[in-house]
Amino acid sequence: MTDAVYSNTGVRSQMTRIALRWLLYILLFAFALFYLAPLFVMVTTSLKSLEEIRTGDLIALPRDVTFDAWRTAWASACTGIQCEGVRPYFWNSVLIAVPAVMISTLVGAINGYVVAQWRFPGANIFFALMLFGCFIPFQVVLLPMARMLGLMGIAGTIPGLIFVHVIYGLGFTTLFFRNYYVTIPAELTKAAKVDGAGFFRIFWSIFLPLSLPIIVVTVIWQFTQIWNDFLFGVSFSQAGTQPITVALNNIVNSTTGVKEYNVDMAAAIIAGLPTLLVYVVAGKYFIRGLTAGSVKG
Amino acid sequence: MAPILDIKGLYKSYGSTEILKDINVAIDPGDFLVLVGPSGCGKSTLLNCIAGLEPISGGTLSIDGQDMTHVSPKDRDIAMVFQSYALYPTMTVAKNITFGMKVRGVDPKTQAAKLKKVAEQLQIEQLLNRRPGQLSGGQRQRVAMGRALVRDPKLFLFDEPLSNLDAKLRVEMRTEIKALHQNLGATMVYVTHDQIEAMTLATKIVVMKGGVIQQIGSPSEIYDRPANMFVADFMGSPAMNLIPARAMKNGSGTHIEIANSTGGSIVLKDTNGHDLPTDVILGVRPEDIAEPGTRQDGVHQDAECLVDIVEPAGADTYVVTQLGGKQVTARLHAKTNAQAGKSQTLSFDLSKVSYFEPGTGRRLN
């Protein structure tokens, strides 16, 4: 009698568990659809002709797939008075992002190494101020930065934008490397000092080879920040040095007459592709690096 | 012989906290100096000061006659083995061992020759291409030793190198370090909290507590004539019995009266004629309390004691009784007849006892 009761509730709880599991999957699937919907609309719209966009349904698949919009967006869309597409601006962004990411990552690594392993008087205050730099809103630094760039003679140039991004990124890159390097035992530095190695030798030979996960995290973070930046790009550039985010805005906002939604969508996807690519290639290391400090041991 | 390491009036403080106070130590070439004390006594800090990894707040330090007080670690001609081994994780064993030579620009041929010699010496030839992560604790320990040995320095520094090993391996490596010291004739400074390691390895022991040196001496000096109650209690296992007693002058000798657990007292007659105050602490090593007739040397005094606990330990049997309100351990023969709850005659060797002042803990004889 009691056995029967027990097995009955056992079956019921089993059923409940399966039902809840299915409910969870359905919910997750719904959320995934919701978040993927804009990308789907962007991709399909960019592959349609203007005629089809006007007459067709927003979420319908394209009847005739055409890459005309992509070609236009890349090479001949108008950004104001010029009609060269996003191509020159894409390369501007590359010229800004690549050096800025490299410099800020390297300097951040050295900063983090110093703060974590070469304790000096006031190291904590130094680090706290660095950290504070992460939380200063972009808008606050616009005017002082414009004045600085002017004084340095690099206003409106690509080196100027690199400089801005390096300075603004240092807080974050230092934080990342510092938190990674504090988990490395201090005895390692001591052993190397006794072995006769100096400041930079210890950095190059011992710390840098250990740093791949955190370098990946920092590069992804910095690349995403710098590539997607609009405010600095629009404030500190002039015609010819604008990054792709600014160009995209100009393409979308400066067209007159019929809105070329397909061209807009294609240009937007082009602008977003590099960051997407970085995540796909290095995302595995990103998760690993973010959790490396916490689960070590 | 000029001392190879000479520390004079060394102070070390972090802010207003004094970690080391007035440290004076000198050792000769070939000495094995062990710094021993409970955790937090400053022994590792002192070692770091010798290595130059911690700046010194006051005093001087010289190695082989040269003032090294403010010299950086790399120019002190020292090698150090760390508690965590501190092997470079991304380098192979061979690279770990040769890193120091590479940094100093030793030519590759010499590097290879020295590496080969050290690898043979420590029997780690088959590990040279592995990384530290692929090694066991004992193997890492050997590599860490190899990294120090290959440098052939004036001074070897060891910071609790065996404390991460299991008990069996620890004893093996202890013997190996001792053999290494004998074969190389090198000078070593060794930090440990394990008093057995200190006794077995050292030619000279420094016992520290709270940043102050309690006693410096050879292992037998430290063991037989501890300078105060802290050293007496810290060195030796089981620890020295410290029994409150009353001393009374009696002709040329002294009567030592100790309360026992039955409300009476036992009296031991010390004939050495020490000048003792009335209240003393009597320090007796467990092995200096035996059964009557089993020891021939020394000056023995017998007394009846009530046995509380009998602990056979294989080679010996420990018998615990109560004297002067303290538990007193005697190290008896393995086949002793002592039984818990019964009375037993115990023979105290008064030629080897220590007397301490109860208030200060200072040695009196």
Side-chain angles (χ1 to χ4, degrees):
Chain A
M1 173 73 196
T2 47
D3 279 1
V5 171
Y6 275 131
S7 65
N8 198 6
T9 56
V11 168
R12 195 181 297 157
S13 76
Q14 180 83 1
M15 296 278 283
T16 320
R17 223 170 35 236
I18 292 171
L20 281 174
R21 186 45 55 99
W22 271 100
L23 194 70
L24 182 70
Y25 285 149
I26 290 166
L27 211 62
L28 285 173
F29 187 71
F31 275 124
L33 274 187
F34 181 78
Y35 281 107
L36 282 172
L39 181 66
F40 172 80
V41 172
M42 280 177 76
V43 173
T44 50
T45 307
S46 73
L47 297 175
K48 290 174 187 173
S49 63
L50 258 186
E51 176 64 26
E52 194 181 332
I53 292 170
R54 237 189 339 267
T55 57
D57 196 341
L58 182 67
I59 55 167
L61 287 167
R63 283 190 301 266
D64 296 308
V65 174
T66 164
F67 288 94
D68 285 349
W70 284 74
R71 247 169 256 134
T72 312
W74 181 244
S76 63
C78 295
T79 56
I81 47 167
Q82 280 166 323
C83 295
E84 302 172 304
V86 295
R87 185 171 52 190
Y89 306 101
F90 184 90
W91 293 120
N92 279 351
S93 269
V94 171
L95 285 178
I96 294 163
V98 172
V101 168
M102 280 167 52
I103 295 169
S104 60
T105 302
L106 184 68
V107 177
I110 295 173
N111 277 352
Y113 165 66
V114 171
V115 175
Q117 295 282 331
W118 295 73
R119 311 288 305 170
F120 55 92
N124 280 333
I125 292 175
F126 173 81
F127 180 62
L129 289 175
M130 275 313 260
L131 207 57
F132 192 62
C134 299
F135 301 112
I136 295 176
F138 277 31
Q139 294 84 341
V140 173
V141 298
L142 282 184
L143 278 175
M145 189 58 90
R147 179 90 181 108
M148 281 267 301
L149 291 175
L151 286 175
M152 291 166 72
I154 48 174
T157 64
I158 283 177
L161 274 169
I162 294 174
F163 177 78
V164 173
H165 284 299
V166 167
I167 295 294
Y168 204 83
L170 275 185
F172 290 97
T173 58
T174 303
L175 173 70
F176 290 156
F177 279 98
R178 182 261 178 197
N179 284 355
Y180 187 75
Y181 287 153
V182 286
T183 65
I184 295 176
E187 285 197 342
L188 215 54
T189 312
K190 289 186 181 178
K193 278 190 206 169
V194 171
D195 260 345
F199 180 87
F200 281 107
R201 167 75 80 157
I202 296 173
F203 180 64
W204 285 115
S205 300
I206 293 164
F207 279 79
L208 221 46
L210 278 172
S211 310
L212 183 68
I214 200 64
I215 290 175
V216 171
V217 168
T218 312
V219 164
I220 291 179
W221 174 269
Q222 279 298 89
F223 187 82
T224 312
Q225 291 293 311
I226 296 170
W227 187 274
N228 288 344
D229 162 71
F230 179 74
L231 188 63
F232 285 157
V234 79
S235 309
F236 301 131
S237 64
Q238 57 194 31
T241 62
Q242 287 150 332
I244 192 164
T245 45
V246 177
L248 179 64
N249 174 65
N250 291 349
I251 286 176
V252 175
N253 285 337
S254 66
T255 42
T256 48
V258 184
K259 268 240 179 270
E260 293 182 292
Y261 286 112
N262 51 358
V263 175
D264 294 352
M265 295 299 179
I269 294 171
I270 291 170
L273 268 182
T275 47
L276 209 62
L277 194 73
V278 168
Y279 270 104
V280 170
V281 171
K284 184 174 69 175
Y285 293 98
F286 187 64
I287 303 298
R288 213 182 283 167
L290 278 183
T291 56
S294 51
V295 295
K296 201 167 183 173
Chain B
M1 205 162 18
I4 188 133
L5 172 68
D6 196 3
I7 301 169
K8 286 202 179 92
L10 184 146
Y11 280 82
K12 169 72 190 172
S13 45
Y14 293 109
S16 58
T17 326
E18 278 198 334
I19 307 293
L20 297 171
K21 290 166 208 151
D22 195 24
I23 304 290
N24 291 286
V25 185
I27 53 172
D28 296 323
D31 262 347
F32 198 122
L33 178 76
V34 173
L35 308 176
V36 67
S39 55
C41 73
K43 55 192 190 294
S44 282
T45 309
L46 178 56
L47 194 75
N48 279 321
C49 287
I50 297 173
L53 294 166
E54 293 277 0
I56 294 168
S57 313
T60 60
L61 187 153
S62 65
I63 295 172
D64 202 17
Q66 283 174 292
D67 180 32
M68 293 284 178
T69 314
H70 301 293
V71 174
S72 80
K74 66 176 169 25
D75 300 320
R76 293 192 181 206
D77 201 6
I78 51 167
M80 193 157 169
V81 177
F82 294 88
Q83 182 175 4
S84 67
Y85 316 135
L87 300 177
Y88 311 127
T90 54
M91 298 183 202
T92 61
V93 167
K95 290 234 173 76
N96 259 284
I97 292 173
T98 54
F99 181 71
M101 292 191 284
K102 197 178 142 203
V103 169
R104 281 159 210 272
V106 174
D107 76 283
K109 252 192 197 155
T110 321
Q111 284 187 31
K114 283 194 161 184
L115 171 65
K116 190 161 173 285
K117 193 176 146 219
V118 165
E120 273 171 22
Q121 204 170 3
L122 293 169
Q123 295 155 15
I124 50 171
E125 294 114 312
Q126 74 285 6
L127 307 176
L128 289 180
N129 290 319
R130 298 218 202 144
R131 276 164 203 260
Q134 303 163 306
L135 304 179
S136 71
Q139 289 169 331
R140 282 182 212 186
Q141 172 66 58
R142 279 168 190 281
V143 175
M145 303 260 293
R147 194 167 63 179
L149 283 179
V150 80
R151 296 265 318 282
D152 200 14
K154 285 206 183 94
L155 210 55
F156 284 97
L157 307 177
F158 294 88
D159 190 1
E160 307 215 22
L162 304 183
S163 56
N164 282 351
L165 300 177
D166 62 68
K168 190 167 176 291
L169 205 53
R170 198 179 307 163
V171 176
E172 277 176 34
M173 286 304 289
R174 195 173 75 199
T175 315
E176 226 166 288
I177 291 176
K178 179 127 191 167
L180 209 60
H181 174 248
Q182 281 169 2
N183 297 339
L184 294 174
T187 317
M188 300 182 172
V189 181
Y190 189 106
V191 164
T192 181
H193 61 268
D194 181 342
Q195 45 90 16
I196 297 177
E197 256 173 51
M199 292 292 294
T200 49
L201 289 171
T203 60
K204 196 174 200 174
I205 295 178
V206 172
V207 185
M208 294 178 67
K209 180 197 170 196
V212 178
I213 291 182
Q214 303 293 312
Q215 189 174 4
I216 304 180
S218 68
S220 63
E221 277 166 9
I222 301 269
Y223 192 75
D224 295 335
R225 296 181 55 79
N228 56 38
M229 278 166 65
F230 171 77
V231 177
D233 187 50
F234 190 76
M235 301 299 290
S237 175
M240 182 183 260
N241 298 302
L242 297 168
I243 313 163
R246 288 167 62 82
M248 281 163 300
K249 202 87 179 151
N250 189 310
S252 65
T254 314
H255 279 190
I256 310 295
E257 192 184 297
I258 307 164
N260 66 14
S261 55
T262 55
S265 63
I266 63 169
V267 176
L268 304 172
K269 298 183 191 71
D270 191 332
T271 53
N272 290 327
H274 302 300
D275 199 14
L276 300 173
T278 312
D279 285 314
V280 294
I281 301 286
L282 176 72
V284 195
R285 291 279 176 204
E287 60 269 29
D288 296 330
I289 308 174
E291 283 160 298
T294 52
R295 304 273 169 88
Q296 303 305 323
D297 57 332
V299 185
H300 292 276
Q301 288 278 316
D302 293 355
E304 284 294 315
C305 299
L306 184 68
V307 174
D308 291 333
I309 299 163
V310 176
E311 298 175 328
D316 306 292
T317 297
Y318 296 112
V319 168
V320 180
T321 176
Q322 199 164 15
L323 288 174
K326 291 276 166 73
Q327 286 205 329
V328 172
T329 306
R331 190 178 206 153
L332 302 187
H333 198 267
K335 296 197 171 57
T336 176
N337 295 321
Q339 278 181 297
K342 295 245 171 88
S343 189
Q344 167 77 33
T345 310
L346 294 175
S347 171
F348 293 76
D349 185 350
L350 284 181
S351 66
K352 290 191 180 161
V353 297
S354 306
Y355 295 102
F356 302 102
E357 203 172 58
T360 59
R362 198 165 50 85
R363 185 183 182 83
L364 291 165
N365 62 327

